[in-house]
Each structure stands twice: as structure tokens, then as C-alpha cells.
Amino acid sequence: QGSQKRSNSTPETPRPKRAPSSHSPYRLFSPGSFSPSVTPSQKYSSRGDRGEVVASFGAVQEPAWRGRGGCAVKLFGCAEENLTKPYKFMFQKALDVREALSGRVEELGEVLRRHHGLDDFTSVTFPAQEPVTVLGQIGCDGNGKLNAKSVLLLGDREHSAGCQVPLDLSELPEYSLFPGQVVALRGTNSTGSRMVVSKLYEV
């Protein structure tokens, strides 16, 4: 057979792209092959049944509450701890959220210390050959799932200034942890960069 003349491709007359072969694995496992009859989703502004109840549980809806006699509401506790004006939920400032979380860690740490009779807490990055007790929150060193190799302890602000240290849990017979959990740990941290945990104190 004679050689075929190759067509020239220019921006005005581009060369047509070759269609994928029916035997190509990309065609077999393409999204269109799994769902060939997918209809495009409607735009958000053109959706129907906006604000209407589509499912409910129980026969009573919007019950009318009526009280008997007069009553007065009294706020207990400090005025700074009570809500005196409306606020937007989840619109708090990052600094306010950090202050609230730090205060909660300190409160739970005091509960742990009194309940288990612990000594004063030490910084998580303090090099110590002897066992020390530290306080903090359980964290993960990445975006993956929490496992025995990715556990961190985020130290409290009062004793550890928010520093973190990886944990070695190989000496614990059993444990059950989740990110954000407030715990007190006892162990050794000879280099200041990794703590070998020997005891776990939970709330």
C-alpha cells in the first residue's frame, strides 16, 4: 500500500481528535459507562418545594405552648458566663474558641488531678529520664485516620504552651482514644521529641 499523505493541522483547521477505541480500558471504566442515563442536576435557584416539609414523624406539628400564671426567669452564675443578647451560632472568633477550649482542658485537667491523685503536670516537651505526668488533648499527625503510629498529644497552654509531642503507646496493654480527648499521661520523654506512655488517665 502507498503511503498516505499526512494532513496539516493549523489553528484554523485543527486535526480531529481520534475517538477512543471500544476496546480501550478507559472507555470501559469511564463515568459514562457506569451511569449513561444521568440527567444534569437542576440549578439551586430553580429547585422546587422550597421550605416545605417533605417528611415528618408523629401526628402533632407545631404544638402551641401555654403557661399558667406568671413566671420569672432568673440567671444563675456570673453575668459574663450567661447569654444576655442574641448571637450567631458558629460565628465565634477563633481566639474566643481557643480561649473556651483552653479553659475546658484546664478544668478537666484539674478533675483528673484530684480524682487520680496526680502530681503537678509537666510540659510535654520537657526531656526527662524519669516518668512524668503531662496533660493535653489527643491529636493526629495527619489528615488520615487515628492509629497507633499517628497519635499526638497537644499539650495544654498552662504547662506546655500548646506544644505537641508524638506518643509511643506500645507499652500500654489497652487503650481507646479519639481526637480531641482530654487525657493525662504518665511516661518518659528522654529526648523531648517522643513520649513513651506507661499509664493513661481518662476523665
Side-chain angles (χ1 to χ4, degrees), residues 67-122:
R68 297 181 180 178
C71 61
V73 179
K74 183 179 180 181
L75 299 178
F76 292 91
C78 302
E80 294 79 7
E81 299 178 358
N82 298 320
L83 293 177
T84 56
K85 59 182 180 180
Y87 75 103
K88 293 183 178 181
F89 180 64
M90 295 182 67
F91 277 77
Q92 296 92 342
K93 296 180 181 179
L95 293 178
D96 295 340
V97 175
R98 188 189 69 171
E99 290 292 332
L101 292 177
S102 299
R104 180 61 61 182
V105 171
E106 293 175 3
E107 292 178 7
L108 294 177
E110 182 62 22
V111 172
L112 283 169
R113 193 184 64 78
R114 287 189 279 103
H115 179 73
H116 296 284
L118 304 177
D119 299 331
D120 291 336
F121 297 114
T122 311

Side-chain angles (χ1 to χ4, degrees), residues 1-18:
Q1 295 179 355
S3 61
Q4 297 179 354
K5 186 178 180 181
R6 187 174 181 180
S7 60
N8 295 329
S9 176
T10 62
E12 291 78 10
T13 59
R15 183 183 299 138
K17 294 182 179 179
R18 186 171 55 182

Side-chain angles (χ1 to χ4, degrees), residues 116-190:
H116 296 284
L118 304 177
D119 299 331
D120 291 336
F121 297 114
T122 311
S123 173
V124 296
T125 58
F126 180 74
Q129 302 292 338
E130 298 295 330
V132 294
T133 306
V134 297
L135 173 68
Q137 288 182 284
I138 297 297
C140 183
D141 65 354
N143 296 327
K145 293 183 178 180
L146 188 67
N147 53 56
K149 301 296 183 181
S150 65
V151 182
L152 296 175
L153 183 69
L154 310 176
D156 64 325
R157 186 175 58 178
E158 180 181 355
H159 303 92
S160 304
C163 296
Q164 61 185 21
V165 64
L167 298 180
D168 184 355
L169 306 175
S170 58
E171 295 187 3
L172 291 179
E174 60 181 4
Y175 54 87
S176 178
L177 304 172
F178 60 88
Q181 181 179 1
V182 179
V183 295
L185 304 175
R186 186 168 180 81
T188 57
N189 188 4
S190 58

Side-chain angles (χ1 to χ4, degrees), residues 21-30 33-34:
S21 172
S22 60
H23 301 287
S24 173
Y26 298 101
R27 183 176 180 86
L28 295 176
F29 297 103
S30 63
S33 63
F34 288 104

Side-chain angles (χ1 to χ4, degrees), residues 12-59:
E12 291 78 10
T13 59
R15 183 183 299 138
K17 294 182 179 179
R18 186 171 55 182
S21 172
S22 60
H23 301 287
S24 173
Y26 298 101
R27 183 176 180 86
L28 295 176
F29 297 103
S30 63
S33 63
F34 288 104
S35 56
S37 61
V38 173
T39 57
S41 59
Q42 297 180 353
K43 293 183 178 180
Y44 182 78
S45 59
S46 62
R47 70 193 189 281
D49 298 333
R50 289 177 291 181
E52 297 182 4
V53 178
V54 296
S56 60
F57 178 78

